[in-house]
């Protein structure tokens, strides 16, 4: 049985990844910061023995280390670094620098930390995959309106870090994909998103399933379309 580890599994994209992978017969390690408040995830887990809920705050590196120690020797086929924060619309003159630091911790540092400590688990898989949930807002080419300093910079940094990771992970045969999930109707994406969450997740799962090592380090839309850096 294949295993997927998902961060931010309590809502939105993470919750739908959990639902779809469990439905497909995968063992799902569903991580979230406050399991006691994750009612939708708990309800999903109650109907599937394949879902294991784990408390994990991605800003808490010792907690990540503890989970890695617990899973030592366990093959992880896919790790989805999904947990993220938006960062709000702070403009020049009103930027909250502490919030910016938090956004970098959650959106960037945590992904690299996960890659570091679970590298051995991914190497045990026949085709390990590290998946990072980014955004088109991290694209330099696509930025024609400015603003959103916190979110844009954190996703651009994530893209750069994951591109580097793809070269380091190539040696052990682990692939890396950087996804733009589309503008999805979720708590983060808001009600005016262009697609539903199930369409986004289904598309990304298909890209993952058809992955070839030549694609590692690519910045890809949920439907497989290359995204501009």
């Amino acid at each position: 049985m294949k295993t997927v580890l998902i961060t931010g599994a309590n809502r939105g994209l993470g919750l739908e990844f959990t639902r779809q992978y469990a439905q497909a017969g995968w063992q799902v390690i569903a991580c979230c910061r406050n399991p006691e408040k994750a009612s939708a995830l708990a309800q999903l887990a109650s109907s599937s023995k394949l879902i294991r809920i784990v408390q994990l705050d991605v800003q808490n590196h010792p907690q990540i280390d503890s989970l890695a120690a617990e899973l030592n020797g366990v093959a992880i086929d896919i790790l989805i670094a999904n947990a993220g924060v938006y960062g709000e619309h702070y403009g020049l003159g009103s930027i909250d620098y502490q919030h910016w630091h938090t956004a970098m911790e959650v959106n960037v540092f945590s992904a690299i930390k996960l890659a570091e400590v679970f590298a051995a688990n991914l190497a045990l898989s026949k085709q390990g995959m590290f998946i990072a949930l980014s955004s088109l807002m991290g694209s330099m080419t696509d930025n024609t309106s400015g603003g959103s300093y916190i979110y844009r910079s954190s996703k651009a940094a994530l893209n750069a870090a994951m591109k580097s990771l793809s070269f380091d992970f190539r040696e052990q045969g682990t692939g890396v994909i950087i996804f733009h999930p589309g503008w999805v109707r979720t708590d983060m994406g808001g009600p005016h998103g262009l697609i539903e969450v199930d369409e986004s997740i289904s598309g990304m799962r298909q890209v993952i399933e058809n992955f070839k090592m030549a694609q590692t380090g690519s910045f890809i839309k949920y439907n497989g379309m290359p995204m501009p850096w």
Side-chain angles (χ1 to χ4, degrees), residues 96-145:
D96 184 330
Y97 287 92
Q98 182 56 50
H99 194 95
W100 201 337
H101 184 78
T102 298
M104 294 296 289
E105 282 190 333
V106 176
N107 294 352
V108 188
F109 304 160
S110 69
I112 288 296
K113 177 63 178 179
L114 289 165
E116 283 187 313
V117 301
F118 289 109
N121 302 81
L122 290 164
L124 292 173
S125 172
K126 190 173 182 179
Q127 176 55 82
M129 295 287 297
F130 190 96
I131 308 300
L133 271 294
S134 185
S135 169
L136 184 58
M137 289 187 73
S139 167
M140 303 295 182
T141 302
D142 188 70
N143 185 357
T144 59
S145 61

Side-chain angles (χ1 to χ4, degrees), residues 5-213:
L5 187 152
I6 304 166
T7 65
N10 57 305
R11 63 178 185 172
L13 299 175
L15 184 65
E16 183 63 14
F17 265 126
T18 299
R19 186 189 72 79
Q20 289 196 21
Y21 273 113
Q23 192 174 57
W26 286 56
Q27 184 72 47
V28 181
I29 302 171
C31 305
C32 63
R33 186 172 53 180
N34 297 306
E36 68 280 2
K37 297 180 180 179
S39 56
L41 179 59
Q43 184 176 359
L44 196 59
S46 69
S47 62
S48 175
K49 294 181 180 179
L50 295 174
I51 300 172
R52 175 193 170 193
I53 300 175
V54 174
Q55 181 177 13
L56 185 69
D57 180 348
V58 296
Q59 294 184 78
N60 188 331
H61 288 196
Q63 201 173 58
I64 296 175
D65 288 332
S66 294
L67 180 59
E70 180 185 339
L71 296 175
N72 181 42
V74 176
I76 294 176
D77 298 282
I78 301 175
L79 193 156
I80 303 175
N82 166 73
V85 294
Y86 184 62
E88 304 301 327
H89 294 282
Y90 295 110
L92 287 177
S94 61
I95 292 175
D96 184 330
Y97 287 92
Q98 182 56 50
H99 194 95
W100 201 337
H101 184 78
T102 298
M104 294 296 289
E105 282 190 333
V106 176
N107 294 352
V108 188
F109 304 160
S110 69
I112 288 296
K113 177 63 178 179
L114 289 165
E116 283 187 313
V117 301
F118 289 109
N121 302 81
L122 290 164
L124 292 173
S125 172
K126 190 173 182 179
Q127 176 55 82
M129 295 287 297
F130 190 96
I131 308 300
L133 271 294
S134 185
S135 169
L136 184 58
M137 289 187 73
S139 167
M140 303 295 182
T141 302
D142 188 70
N143 185 357
T144 59
S145 61
S148 299
Y149 292 92
I150 294 174
Y151 191 66
R152 287 188 189 278
S153 63
S154 70
K155 291 303 184 180
L158 174 64
N159 289 358
M162 292 298 103
K163 184 66 175 181
S164 290
L165 180 68
S166 70
F167 291 104
D168 290 332
F169 268 8
R170 185 190 292 269
E171 296 179 9
Q172 69 175 43
T174 298
V176 176
I177 295 180
I178 309 157
F179 271 122
H180 167 51
W183 186 8
V184 187
R185 287 186 282 273
T186 62
D187 289 345
M188 183 180 289
H192 303 299
L194 300 178
I195 60 171
E196 295 292 347
V197 66
D198 59 335
E199 180 182 354
S200 174
I201 301 306
S202 294
M204 287 189 280
R205 286 185 58 228
Q206 186 173 5
V207 172
I208 293 168
E209 186 176 342
N210 296 325
F211 173 81
K212 304 297 182 187
M213 204 61 187

